[in-house]
């Protein structure tokens, strides 16, 4: 019957063998970082509220949210990214701006569901 000899490294031996190395880092010299070319400033897209303000400024009469959404898409100012009710979102955002900014808001409610520019 033969027994198999196993050797175990002690903690002191492990420390001695790993001394001077850093976990996960290589000791080789790294290349200097290459300069990345400067990004061209992208044309900033209009938000739905900004596009609505622009449409209302160009319009001679008050519009409701559905009419504003249609005009914004037609003039290519803004289009819905796939939402089912962008007009409801726009209506809510306009009311929120009127309530938070008060007289400084860009919009003014003229009658039920219709808005115009404030100014």
């Amino acid at each position: 019957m033969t027994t198999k000899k196993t050797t175990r490294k002690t903690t002191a031996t492990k420390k001695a063998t790993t001394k001077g190395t850093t976990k996960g880092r290589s000791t080789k010299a790294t290349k200097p970082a290459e300069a990345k070319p400067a990004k061209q400033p992208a044309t900033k897209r209009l938000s739905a509220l900004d596009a609505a303000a622009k449409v209302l400024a160009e319009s001679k009469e008050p519009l409701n949210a559905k009419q504003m959404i249609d005009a914004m898409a037609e003039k290519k100012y803004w289009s819905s990214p796939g939402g089912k009710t962008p007009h409801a979102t726009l209506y809510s955002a306009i009311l929120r701006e009127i309530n938070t900014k008060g007289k400084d808001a860009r919009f003014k409610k003229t009658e039920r569901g219709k808005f115009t520019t404030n100014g």
Side-chain angles (χ1 to χ4, degrees):
M1 225 170 56
T2 61
T3 57
K4 202 180 219 183
K5 284 187 176 180
T6 58
T7 59
R8 289 188 173 178
K9 290 185 178 180
T10 63
T11 314
T13 314
K14 285 182 185 178
K15 286 182 182 176
T17 58
T18 59
K19 189 174 184 180
T21 62
T22 314
K23 285 186 179 180
R25 295 185 191 159
S26 112
T27 56
K28 295 180 182 178
T30 58
K31 292 186 217 175
E34 295 179 21
K36 293 182 181 179
K39 288 186 179 180
Q40 297 293 334
T43 56
K44 189 171 181 178
R45 293 178 28 188
L46 290 176
S47 69
L49 275 177
D50 293 338
K54 193 171 183 179
V55 164
L56 285 174
E58 294 170 357
S59 174
K60 294 176 176 49
E61 58 194 38
L63 301 173
N64 65 25
K66 183 83 170 149
Q67 293 167 333
M68 285 186 263
I69 292 289
D70 293 340
M72 292 182 319
E74 181 181 307
K75 295 179 181 183
K76 300 199 188 299
Y77 294 150
W78 182 85
S79 62
S80 174
K84 293 182 181 178
T85 56
H87 58 279
T89 305
L90 179 63
Y91 182 85
S92 174
I94 291 172
L95 285 179
R96 190 177 327 116
E97 181 171 321
I98 290 172
N99 287 333
T100 57
K101 293 185 178 178
K103 296 194 186 286
D104 295 333
R106 296 177 282 181
F107 307 98
K108 181 171 68 172
K109 192 170 185 178
T110 57
E111 58 186 270
R112 183 175 181 209
K114 295 208 175 193
F115 300 95
T116 188
T117 57
N118 187 15

